[in-house]
Amino acid sequence: MTSAGRFAPSPSGELHVGNLRTAILAWLFAKSSGRDFLLRVEDLDRARSGAEAEQLRDLEAIGVSWDAAVVRQTERAALYDDAIARLTHEGRTYECFCTRREIQEAPSAPHAPQGAYPGTCRRLSHAEREIRRASRPASIRLLADVAEWGVEDQLHGKYVGVVDDFVLRRNDGVTAYNLAVVVDDAAQGIDQVVRGDDLLPSTPRQAYLARLLGLPVPEYAHVPLVVNHDGARLAKRDGAVTLGDLAAVGIPAERVRDLILESLHLPAGPLPDVLAAFNPGNLPKEPWVWITPRS
Ligand SMILES: [Zn+2]
């Protein structure tokens, strides 16, 4: 089995500077530690026709290379089904018929954090379940036997977060992100996960699920996001933020790559030339405020 890092975009539109910066970081973490680098397209949800090809082209333009064929989540249903079947066989899943509104309005368990599933459908009898199946398709939830779990993060240190009975399969039949990401990382031999720090809070759920499935827990590094001048997470509406937009105002891909590297206190690219200077301990801890440069 390989030892690999990865970048896993959702093909919902063009990558922006924040996505590209995370991709560069993931590549640098992987290559500087002797790993392969893999790409996975997370297209279970929100796929837009043509977006995948645009994203791959943009990654190549800034010098992010990958070492094996691109994997797409929509081609991997059998792996997800198998993982859910194993958990179900062990009595670790149950059907949930709650609407979003019912979950919001349910009294939460004592000490449970905002948004944690209160466990309503855990206690349904067989007969109650039969009745509810007739009116609404069920989602499948994990029966968690812990309330929190700890992970080790290369940039954040020890991080303990909530584990509730989170959804494994949505009631429209789509595999939930938390399940797919755990199954895919293990199946691809990914033992290093570098991604935006907005995903740190869901990481304890994933590490706990990996343990239940008998899968190795990868190393984690959750990196700071790129924000706009108001401090909000960068979005398409924040002006010229994609390679296409930036090229149109006279800023080529190599310059975008070098601006990203500069924001990481690293020398100019191409990327392989930067590896010798890359040290995770020296990365900035704060978000990077993006201001569209003059050409
Ligand atoms: Zn429920």
Side-chain angles (χ1 to χ4, degrees):
M1 186 59 90
T2 57
S3 178
R6 47 80 152 180
F7 183 61
S10 294
S12 55
E14 273 182 88
L15 298 172
H16 61 55
V17 174
N19 310 128
L20 296 171
R21 189 177 191 245
T22 300
I24 284 177
L25 277 167
W27 190 94
L28 290 170
F29 268 89
K31 292 294 173 179
S32 67
S33 58
R35 289 176 164 89
D36 281 348
F37 191 68
L38 306 178
L39 274 195
R40 181 170 71 236
V41 176
E42 300 203 327
D43 57 352
L44 291 175
D45 218 3
R46 297 190 302 155
R48 201 203 78 203
S49 171
E52 179 190 317
E54 282 171 3
Q55 293 185 341
L56 300 187
R57 184 199 61 207
D58 286 354
L59 290 168
E60 280 183 306
I62 57 166
V64 170
S65 57
W66 49 97
D67 298 303
V70 173
V71 160
R72 288 171 200 85
Q73 289 189 321
T74 47
E75 295 164 357
R76 301 163 74 78
L79 284 175
Y80 311 141
D81 291 349
D82 180 60
I84 293 173
R86 278 169 53 204
L87 292 166
T88 299
H89 182 72
E90 292 166 8
R92 289 203 169 274
T93 68
Y94 63 92
E95 290 169 289
C96 170
F97 303 90
C98 296
T99 61
R100 194 175 295 250
R101 185 177 181 147
E102 282 168 336
I103 294 171
Q104 279 164 356
E105 291 177 354
S108 51
H111 314 300
Q114 195 81 29
Y117 178 68
T120 319
C121 294
R122 252 192 198 221
R123 294 171 290 274
L124 292 180
S125 69
H126 186 73
E128 285 171 320
R129 235 173 248 134
E130 284 290 312
I131 292 165
R132 293 191 194 206
R133 274 184 202 133
S135 64
R136 190 180 157 76
S139 62
I140 305 294
R141 286 187 182 272
L142 179 71
L143 205 160
D145 54 12
V146 298
E148 56 179 35
W149 197 255
V151 294
E152 201 59 50
D153 185 279
Q154 239 182 303
L155 303 182
H156 295 258
K158 174 95 170 166
Y159 176 85
V160 177
V162 177
V163 177
D164 63 352
D165 288 352
F166 58 90
V167 172
L168 303 174
R169 176 170 289 136
R170 302 185 335 206
N171 81 341
D172 60 3
V174 175
T175 305
Y177 172 76
N178 281 324
L179 185 275
V181 74
V182 167
V183 169
D184 283 333
D185 282 341
Q188 291 186 270
I190 287 162
D191 60 356
Q192 180 189 60
V193 171
V194 177
R195 56 187 179 186
D197 61 14
D198 53 327
L199 289 169
L200 183 58
S202 58
T203 305
R205 290 182 174 91
Q206 294 162 19
Y208 172 67
L209 182 59
R211 210 206 55 156
L212 290 182
L213 287 166
L215 302 173
V217 175
E219 277 181 31
Y220 295 108
H222 287 84
V223 299
L225 295 177
V226 179
V227 298
N228 67 17
H229 52 81
D230 294 325
R233 190 194 319 187
L234 197 70
K236 300 283 160 55
R237 61 180 172 277
D238 293 318
V241 295
T242 65
L243 288 189
D245 295 342
L246 287 161
V249 296
I251 301 164
E254 294 77 20
R255 171 98 174 106
V256 178
R257 176 201 65 206
D258 287 344
L259 286 167
I260 289 171
L261 290 169
E262 190 185 312
S263 81
L264 298 167
H265 309 158
L266 289 167
L271 295 187
D273 295 355
V274 177
L275 284 171
F278 180 71
N279 176 352
N282 293 343
L283 291 174
K285 305 271 189 286
E286 298 302 314
W288 182 37
V289 181
W290 169 257
I291 295 156
T292 302
R294 292 169 196 281
S295 55

